[in-house]
Amino acid sequence: MAQSSSRSLQTAAQSTAQPVVAAQTVGARLLAIDALRGLAIVAMALDHAAASVLVSLQAESYGGLTPQLGNWPSWVLGLFTNIASPTFWFLAGVSMTLYAQGRLRRGDDNRTITQFFLIRAAVLAALDLTIAWLAWRGGTPYTHVLLSIGVSIAMVSLLRLLPAQVVAAIGFVWLLLYQLALPGLSAHFNQSVNYWQAFFLYFSYETFPATEFSVLGWGSLIALGSAFGTLVRRPWFLRWRNWVLVGAGLWALCLTLRLVGGFGDLWHYDASLPPYYWLIMNKTPPSLTFLLFNLGIASWVYALFLARPRWFSMPFFAWLVTLGQVALFAFVVHLVIYGLLGRGVDLLPVAAPGVVKAVGVWLIGLAILVPLCTWYRSYRRAHPNTLLRYL
């Protein structure tokens, strides 16, 4: 099953390689950013594929509770999937700035660009509350990540009119104040939390709708990404060695915070637990250590992509770029695909270890998702002035 899926992925990727090379030659996009976003989609797909067949890949804490980790393959894969959320949120902010810069070069004004972001935020909310919600199949309720991202984009669409240094300062203060407030929020909201409190400040699987990605907990990443988007094309940030240093700095800060007891981290390592539990950090609400750990890994991956630009003409990396260039479409469609595959697996009289089942469904889903995203990218390019530009 996995071999068949890999062959399908390679066939689909080969059809995308030529457009990717062309885009790199023209310099219209930073393909390393597209590929990094595509990798976040792939990691997210694995997490949701596992959820669709009711397999846990947990390698993080929620609300400060000590997780019950599964076998080592499941939590190692869980560490891989953890890169998805911080990277996806941060790059959403970077993409806002890159899009705005492109539209300004084409003669649009800031009012038109802000209007675009507000409409896109509404589209995200609409897709989240309809297709994504209905398609979800997992052991926990769907937690409406697109709705939170949409509200955060709407907020940052107004902040971005300020100087980039001010947006960066607001993002840092926002992030640090939230981390300082987390212990108090946890003490209060672990007892009782309503939907709006969970949506803006904390999380809850008990409210209706359930919400995991609070706007104030995660939205600072979009603000910081928006500010960084003004720098991403500068020569210093296009040198891969510098990103190796950035990743090392983020990990060094993460290590320091872990050793001194964390900063906003609601879960702390207990020496009575196995040593690998030291890698477990609080994802929801997001602790600073969790964000630093995973963005450090993302920085090293980005360095690798910058160091090997020729990779983007190779099938595997070509379809990573494809997924990254149509990330919203990929997000919504992958939930539909894995929702259907998960229901289909229930009908099969096949017994397999949970991790094997999750990985198999993940690969089959990618074999379906990549060709769909390839087609959609081409179709959207051929129809640039339709409603598809918001997707």
Short mmCIF file of all heavy atoms in Angstrom, two decimals, residues 31-66:
data_model
loop_
_atom_site.label_atom_id
_atom_site.label_comp_id
_atom_site.label_asym_id
_atom_site.label_seq_id
_atom_site.Cartn_x
_atom_site.Cartn_y
_atom_site.Cartn_z
N LEU A 31 10.67 30.14 -3.15
CA LEU A 31 10.26 28.75 -3.17
C LEU A 31 10.60 28.03 -1.87
O LEU A 31 9.93 27.08 -1.49
CB LEU A 31 10.90 28.03 -4.35
CG LEU A 31 10.52 28.54 -5.74
CD1 LEU A 31 11.07 27.61 -6.81
CD2 LEU A 31 9.02 28.69 -5.89
N ALA A 32 11.63 28.48 -1.17
CA ALA A 32 11.99 27.87 0.10
C ALA A 32 10.86 28.07 1.12
O ALA A 32 10.59 27.18 1.94
CB ALA A 32 13.30 28.44 0.63
N ILE A 33 10.21 29.22 1.08
CA ILE A 33 9.09 29.46 1.99
C ILE A 33 7.90 28.59 1.60
O ILE A 33 7.23 28.00 2.45
CB ILE A 33 8.71 30.95 1.99
CG1 ILE A 33 9.74 31.74 2.78
CG2 ILE A 33 7.31 31.17 2.58
CD1 ILE A 33 9.44 33.21 2.92
N ASP A 34 7.64 28.50 0.28
CA ASP A 34 6.54 27.63 -0.17
C ASP A 34 6.79 26.19 0.27
O ASP A 34 5.88 25.50 0.72
CB ASP A 34 6.42 27.70 -1.69
CG ASP A 34 5.86 29.01 -2.18
OD1 ASP A 34 5.05 29.62 -1.44
OD2 ASP A 34 6.22 29.44 -3.29
N ALA A 35 8.05 25.72 0.11
CA ALA A 35 8.37 24.34 0.48
C ALA A 35 8.21 24.13 1.98
O ALA A 35 7.73 23.08 2.42
CB ALA A 35 9.78 24.00 0.03
N LEU A 36 8.62 25.11 2.78
CA LEU A 36 8.48 24.99 4.23
C LEU A 36 7.01 24.93 4.62
O LEU A 36 6.61 24.13 5.47
CB LEU A 36 9.17 26.16 4.93
CG LEU A 36 9.18 26.13 6.46
CD1 LEU A 36 9.86 24.88 6.98
CD2 LEU A 36 9.85 27.39 7.01
N ARG A 37 6.20 25.76 3.98
CA ARG A 37 4.76 25.71 4.24
C ARG A 37 4.18 24.36 3.79
O ARG A 37 3.31 23.79 4.45
CB ARG A 37 4.05 26.86 3.53
CG ARG A 37 2.58 27.02 3.92
CD ARG A 37 1.87 28.05 3.09
NE ARG A 37 2.45 29.38 3.26
CZ ARG A 37 3.18 30.01 2.34
NH1 ARG A 37 3.45 29.42 1.18
NH2 ARG A 37 3.64 31.21 2.57
N GLY A 38 4.68 23.87 2.66
CA GLY A 38 4.23 22.56 2.20
C GLY A 38 4.59 21.46 3.18
O GLY A 38 3.80 20.53 3.41
N LEU A 39 5.79 21.54 3.78
CA LEU A 39 6.18 20.55 4.78
C LEU A 39 5.24 20.62 5.99
O LEU A 39 4.90 19.58 6.57
CB LEU A 39 7.62 20.80 5.21
CG LEU A 39 8.18 19.80 6.23
CD1 LEU A 39 8.24 18.40 5.63
CD2 LEU A 39 9.56 20.23 6.71
N ALA A 40 4.84 21.83 6.37
CA ALA A 40 3.88 21.97 7.48
C ALA A 40 2.56 21.29 7.13
O ALA A 40 1.94 20.65 7.99
CB ALA A 40 3.66 23.44 7.80
N ILE A 41 2.12 21.43 5.87
CA ILE A 41 0.90 20.75 5.43
C ILE A 41 1.05 19.24 5.53
O ILE A 41 0.15 18.52 5.99
CB ILE A 41 0.54 21.16 3.99
CG1 ILE A 41 0.08 22.62 3.93
CG2 ILE A 41 -0.53 20.25 3.40
CD1 ILE A 41 -1.30 22.86 4.49
N VAL A 42 2.21 18.73 5.09
CA VAL A 42 2.46 17.29 5.14
C VAL A 42 2.45 16.78 6.57
O VAL A 42 1.87 15.72 6.88
CB VAL A 42 3.80 16.96 4.45
CG1 VAL A 42 4.22 15.52 4.71
CG2 VAL A 42 3.69 17.21 2.95
N ALA A 43 3.09 17.52 7.48
CA ALA A 43 3.10 17.12 8.89
C ALA A 43 1.69 17.16 9.47
O ALA A 43 1.28 16.26 10.23
CB ALA A 43 4.04 18.04 9.68
N MET A 44 0.95 18.21 9.14
CA MET A 44 -0.42 18.33 9.60
C MET A 44 -1.27 17.18 9.06
O MET A 44 -2.13 16.63 9.77
CB MET A 44 -0.99 19.67 9.12
CG MET A 44 -2.31 20.08 9.71
SD MET A 44 -2.90 21.62 8.95
CE MET A 44 -1.49 22.71 9.19
N ALA A 45 -1.03 16.81 7.80
CA ALA A 45 -1.78 15.71 7.19
C ALA A 45 -1.55 14.41 7.95
O ALA A 45 -2.49 13.62 8.14
CB ALA A 45 -1.38 15.56 5.73
N LEU A 46 -0.33 14.16 8.38
CA LEU A 46 -0.05 12.94 9.15
C LEU A 46 -0.84 12.95 10.45
O LEU A 46 -1.43 11.93 10.84
CB LEU A 46 1.45 12.83 9.42
CG LEU A 46 1.87 11.67 10.33
CD1 LEU A 46 1.39 10.33 9.79
CD2 LEU A 46 3.39 11.66 10.52
N ASP A 47 -0.85 14.07 11.14
CA ASP A 47 -1.59 14.18 12.40
C ASP A 47 -3.07 13.90 12.18
O ASP A 47 -3.71 13.17 12.94
CB ASP A 47 -1.37 15.56 13.00
CG ASP A 47 -1.77 15.63 14.46
OD1 ASP A 47 -1.63 14.62 15.17
OD2 ASP A 47 -2.22 16.70 14.90
N HIS A 48 -3.63 14.50 11.12
CA HIS A 48 -5.06 14.35 10.87
C HIS A 48 -5.39 12.98 10.27
O HIS A 48 -6.49 12.45 10.49
CB HIS A 48 -5.53 15.47 9.95
CG HIS A 48 -5.46 16.82 10.59
ND1 HIS A 48 -5.43 18.00 9.89
CD2 HIS A 48 -5.37 17.18 11.90
CE1 HIS A 48 -5.36 19.02 10.71
NE2 HIS A 48 -5.31 18.54 11.95
N ALA A 49 -4.45 12.40 9.54
CA ALA A 49 -4.66 11.03 9.06
C ALA A 49 -4.75 10.07 10.24
O ALA A 49 -5.61 9.17 10.27
CB ALA A 49 -3.52 10.62 8.12
N ALA A 50 -3.85 10.24 11.21
CA ALA A 50 -3.89 9.40 12.40
C ALA A 50 -5.20 9.60 13.16
O ALA A 50 -5.82 8.64 13.60
CB ALA A 50 -2.69 9.72 13.30
N ALA A 51 -5.61 10.85 13.29
CA ALA A 51 -6.87 11.13 13.99
C ALA A 51 -8.05 10.48 13.29
O ALA A 51 -9.00 10.02 13.93
CB ALA A 51 -7.09 12.64 14.10
N SER A 52 -8.00 10.42 11.95
CA SER A 52 -9.13 9.87 11.20
C SER A 52 -9.31 8.38 11.41
O SER A 52 -10.40 7.84 11.22
CB SER A 52 -8.95 10.16 9.70
OG SER A 52 -7.95 9.32 9.13
N VAL A 53 -8.22 7.70 11.81
CA VAL A 53 -8.33 6.27 12.12
C VAL A 53 -8.20 6.04 13.62
O VAL A 53 -7.90 4.92 14.08
CB VAL A 53 -7.28 5.45 11.34
CG1 VAL A 53 -7.60 5.46 9.85
CG2 VAL A 53 -5.86 5.95 11.59
N LEU A 54 -8.40 7.11 14.39
CA LEU A 54 -8.46 7.07 15.85
C LEU A 54 -7.16 6.56 16.47
O LEU A 54 -7.16 5.77 17.43
CB LEU A 54 -9.64 6.22 16.31
CG LEU A 54 -11.00 6.60 15.70
CD1 LEU A 54 -12.11 5.71 16.26
CD2 LEU A 54 -11.31 8.06 15.92
N VAL A 55 -6.04 7.02 15.90
CA VAL A 55 -4.71 6.68 16.42
C VAL A 55 -4.08 7.96 16.96
O VAL A 55 -4.08 9.00 16.30
CB VAL A 55 -3.81 6.08 15.32
CG1 VAL A 55 -2.39 5.91 15.82
CG2 VAL A 55 -4.38 4.75 14.86
N SER A 56 -3.54 7.90 18.16
CA SER A 56 -2.93 9.08 18.78
C SER A 56 -1.43 9.13 18.50
O SER A 56 -0.72 8.14 18.68
CB SER A 56 -3.16 9.05 20.30
OG SER A 56 -2.43 10.10 20.92
N LEU A 57 -0.99 10.30 18.03
CA LEU A 57 0.44 10.56 17.86
C LEU A 57 0.87 11.65 18.84
O LEU A 57 1.76 12.45 18.55
CB LEU A 57 0.74 11.00 16.43
CG LEU A 57 0.37 10.04 15.30
CD1 LEU A 57 0.78 10.60 13.96
CD2 LEU A 57 1.01 8.66 15.51
N GLN A 58 0.29 11.65 20.01
CA GLN A 58 0.54 12.72 20.97
C GLN A 58 1.99 12.74 21.43
O GLN A 58 2.56 11.74 21.85
CB GLN A 58 -0.38 12.59 22.18
CG GLN A 58 -0.26 13.75 23.16
CD GLN A 58 -1.27 13.67 24.29
OE1 GLN A 58 -2.02 12.71 24.39
NE2 GLN A 58 -1.27 14.67 25.16
N ALA A 59 2.58 13.92 21.33
CA ALA A 59 3.93 14.15 21.87
C ALA A 59 3.97 15.55 22.45
O ALA A 59 4.96 16.26 22.36
CB ALA A 59 4.98 13.99 20.78
N GLU A 60 2.86 15.96 23.07
CA GLU A 60 2.73 17.29 23.65
C GLU A 60 1.72 17.24 24.79
O GLU A 60 0.98 16.26 24.93
CB GLU A 60 2.28 18.30 22.60
CG GLU A 60 0.87 18.11 22.06
CD GLU A 60 0.75 17.05 20.99
OE1 GLU A 60 1.76 16.58 20.47
OE2 GLU A 60 -0.40 16.67 20.68
N SER A 61 1.73 18.29 25.60
CA SER A 61 0.80 18.38 26.72
C SER A 61 -0.29 19.38 26.41
O SER A 61 -0.10 20.33 25.66
CB SER A 61 1.55 18.81 27.98
OG SER A 61 0.66 19.08 29.04
N TYR A 62 -1.46 19.15 27.01
CA TYR A 62 -2.59 20.06 26.88
C TYR A 62 -3.03 20.49 28.27
O TYR A 62 -3.31 19.66 29.13
CB TYR A 62 -3.77 19.37 26.16
CG TYR A 62 -3.47 19.03 24.73
CD1 TYR A 62 -2.79 17.86 24.40
CD2 TYR A 62 -3.84 19.89 23.70
CE1 TYR A 62 -2.50 17.54 23.09
CE2 TYR A 62 -3.55 19.58 22.38
CZ TYR A 62 -2.89 18.41 22.08
OH TYR A 62 -2.59 18.11 20.78
N GLY A 63 -3.04 21.79 28.49
CA GLY A 63 -3.48 22.31 29.76
C GLY A 63 -2.60 21.93 30.93
O GLY A 63 -3.04 21.97 32.08
N GLY A 64 -1.35 21.55 30.68
CA GLY A 64 -0.43 21.20 31.76
C GLY A 64 -0.55 19.78 32.25
O GLY A 64 0.12 19.40 33.22
N LEU A 65 -1.39 18.95 31.60
CA LEU A 65 -1.57 17.57 32.03
C LEU A 65 -0.45 16.69 31.48
O LEU A 65 -0.02 16.86 30.33
CB LEU A 65 -2.92 17.04 31.56
CG LEU A 65 -4.16 17.78 32.07
CD1 LEU A 65 -5.42 17.19 31.47
CD2 LEU A 65 -4.21 17.73 33.60
N THR A 66 0.01 15.75 32.28
CA THR A 66 1.03 14.82 31.83
C THR A 66 0.44 13.87 30.80
O THR A 66 -0.53 13.17 31.10
CB THR A 66 1.61 14.01 33.00
OG1 THR A 66 2.18 14.90 33.95
CG2 THR A 66 2.67 13.03 32.51
#
